[in-house]
């Protein structure tokens, strides 16, 4: 009986040590931007945004390593542009950057629609001085997102008519 308990304790301890080692190794090897555990916060105009610097996101709260001084391409959109369920290098803006060999800044978040795109392009876009802007418009829900924001957020009331 004592031997069985001793074996069980040894098994539990070795499992615990292996888990701790694995966690440490994964933190060193994996890019935190791929974990996609952002901290969402309320925003008066956007309804929600990612807290800057949280969950592997940049200083503006977008899925990039950092905010550049300028970019060749600015991508704005919703979850499809953000790259939900994809590692950072699997999102299409990062794939485009690899293909072009030029920087592409991903300014997207799931749940955003045309009015959020407009706000981002007016408020943050000029600071990046992009050569090209690509709007990832998704016909599946972007029109409804614009309607919901216009009628659900008084900041956008001018777009209700």
């Amino acid at each position: 009986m004592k031997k069985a308990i001793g074996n069980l304790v040894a098994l539990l301890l070795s499992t615990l040590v292996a888990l701790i080692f694995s966690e440490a190794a994964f933190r060193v090897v994996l890019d935190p931007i791929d974990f996609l555990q952002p901290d969402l916060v309320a925003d008066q105009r956007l309804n929600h945004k990612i807290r800057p610097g949280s969950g592997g996101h940049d200083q503006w709260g977008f899925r990039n390593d950092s905010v550049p001084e300028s970019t060749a391409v600015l991508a704005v959109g919703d979850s499809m542009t953000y790259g939900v369920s994809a590692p950072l290098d699997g999102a299409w803006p990062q794939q485009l950057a690899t293909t072009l060999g030029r920087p592409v800044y991903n300014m997207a978040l799931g749940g955003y629609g045309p009015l959020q795109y407009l706000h981002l392009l007016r408020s943050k876009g000029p600071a990046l001085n992009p050569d090209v802007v690509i709007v990832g418009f998704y016909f599946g829900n972007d029109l409804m997102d614009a309607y919901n924001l216009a009628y659900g957020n008084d900041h956008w009331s001018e777009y209700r008519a």
Side-chain angles (χ1 to χ4, degrees):
M1 181 69 162
K2 263 186 170 179
K3 186 174 181 178
I5 292 174
N7 287 340
L8 181 59
V9 168
L11 176 65
L12 290 175
L13 285 175
S14 62
T15 301
L16 181 63
V17 168
L19 287 173
I20 291 170
F21 176 76
S22 296
E23 177 71 19
F26 285 137
R27 287 180 185 253
V28 169
V29 173
L30 299 177
D31 190 343
I33 204 165
D34 289 335
F35 295 130
L36 302 181
Q37 295 179 351
D39 183 13
L40 290 177
V41 294
D43 184 87
Q44 183 180 3
R45 292 185 176 100
L46 299 170
N47 275 358
H48 67 280
K49 65 180 182 179
I50 295 174
R51 183 181 311 280
S54 74
H57 293 75
D58 66 22
Q59 302 92 319
W60 283 354
F62 293 105
R63 194 174 183 201
N64 303 281
D65 291 326
S66 62
V67 178
E69 290 185 24
S70 65
T71 189
V73 179
L74 173 58
V76 179
D78 61 4
S79 59
M80 301 297 281
T81 302
Y82 177 85
V84 168
S85 299
L88 176 62
D89 62 357
W92 73 256
Q94 282 70 21
Q95 290 287 314
L96 181 61
T98 300
T99 301
L100 296 176
R102 300 186 68 203
V104 176
Y105 187 79
N106 185 347
M107 192 182 292
L109 184 60
Y112 280 4
L115 295 178
Q116 284 106 334
Y117 307 161
L118 178 65
H119 173 71
L120 293 171
L121 289 171
R122 286 179 175 169
S123 64
K124 302 243 185 240
L128 298 174
N129 195 30
D131 297 331
V132 175
V133 173
I134 299 175
V135 177
F137 189 88
Y138 178 57
F139 283 98
N141 64 6
D142 274 1
L143 294 175
M144 185 57 75
D145 289 339
Y147 177 88
N148 288 337
L149 189 63
Y151 284 89
N153 183 323
D154 287 337
H155 175 77
W156 298 102
S157 61
E158 67 186 275
Y159 292 92
R160 292 178 183 167

